[in-house]
Amino acid sequence: AEIYQPSSGTWRNVPALAEARFGYAGASLPDGRVLVAGGCTTPRCTAMTGRIELFDPATETWDAGVALSAPNAWATATPLPGGDVLVAGGCTPTGCLATSAVYQSATGTWRAGPAMRAQRGLHSATTLADGRVLVAGGCTTLSCEAVLSSTEVYDPQADSWSPAGELSSPRSGHTATRLDSGDV
């Protein structure tokens, strides 16, 4: 792991995670820590983890947290109003998931969220100005044989997903950014 210091324009090493991984979901927590969840643990992503680790920048240490209910990779982790984090989708070696879970940062525990309308991994997730989360595109399998153009929105107040239209082109492995106007 490394930290970028904008003031000097340099990177510096910090301790590594306990479990090497890629394709994980990560998000900042209200107390400044960073949540890292899931990910691939072998080349070509043939094995995955459900473990989470929490980085504390004040002590520059990683601590273990309560694991996801099942190993997966290529999910998204999106901060919600109030400090919780939505982890949506992801893939296993046999297919992508429509599941969601909410990391409750105050207690360090998970609660199951509602299922998305589509199985997806390698998608984007963006917090909207009103606190809802827009999920767009992605793949239905780890090998990305089918790429999605569908989008959906998670409403944390209602704890539900609703359709949000279609992208003009299917896409995966992309990013999505909320603009100052509120558009994405």
Side-chain angles (χ1 to χ4, degrees):
E2 297 180 61
I3 293 179
Y4 179 70
Q5 298 172 294
S7 61
S8 63
T10 60
W11 291 89
R12 68 181 175 77
N13 291 326
V14 294
L17 288 90
E19 185 171 30
R21 61 182 87 194
F22 66 95
Y24 55 83
S28 296
L29 299 176
D31 63 6
R33 293 178 303 155
V34 177
L35 166 73
V36 170
C40 304
T41 57
T42 58
R44 294 188 297 280
C45 203
T46 55
M48 299 167 184
T49 184
R51 289 178 55 182
I52 73 163
E53 295 185 51
L54 300 157
F55 179 73
D56 184 340
T59 60
E60 294 191 358
T61 57
W62 291 95
D63 292 312
V66 176
L68 295 164
S69 62
N72 73 66
W74 306 112
T76 53
T78 311
L80 298 172
D84 292 345
V85 175
L86 172 70
V87 174
C91 300
T92 69
T94 59
C96 293
L97 308 168
T99 58
S100 72
V102 176
Y103 180 77
Q104 300 170 112
S105 62
T107 61
T109 59
W110 293 95
R111 74 166 176 79
M116 291 187 293
R117 302 173 83 75
Q119 298 173 191
R120 62 180 84 228
L122 292 123
H123 53 284
S124 66
T126 310
T127 303
L128 302 175
D130 63 5
R132 295 178 303 148
V133 177
L134 171 68
V135 170
C139 298
T140 59
T141 64
L142 186 59
S143 58
C144 245
E145 291 134 1
V147 180
L148 300 168
S149 61
S150 65
T151 66
E152 49 191 298
V153 171
Y154 174 72
D155 182 341
Q157 295 295 328
D159 195 29
S160 65
W161 292 93
S162 59
E166 296 286 321
L167 297 165
S168 59
S169 300
R171 65 191 72 219
S172 66
H174 59 286
T175 63
T177 306
R178 188 178 83 204
L179 306 174
D180 288 342
S181 66
D183 292 346
V184 176

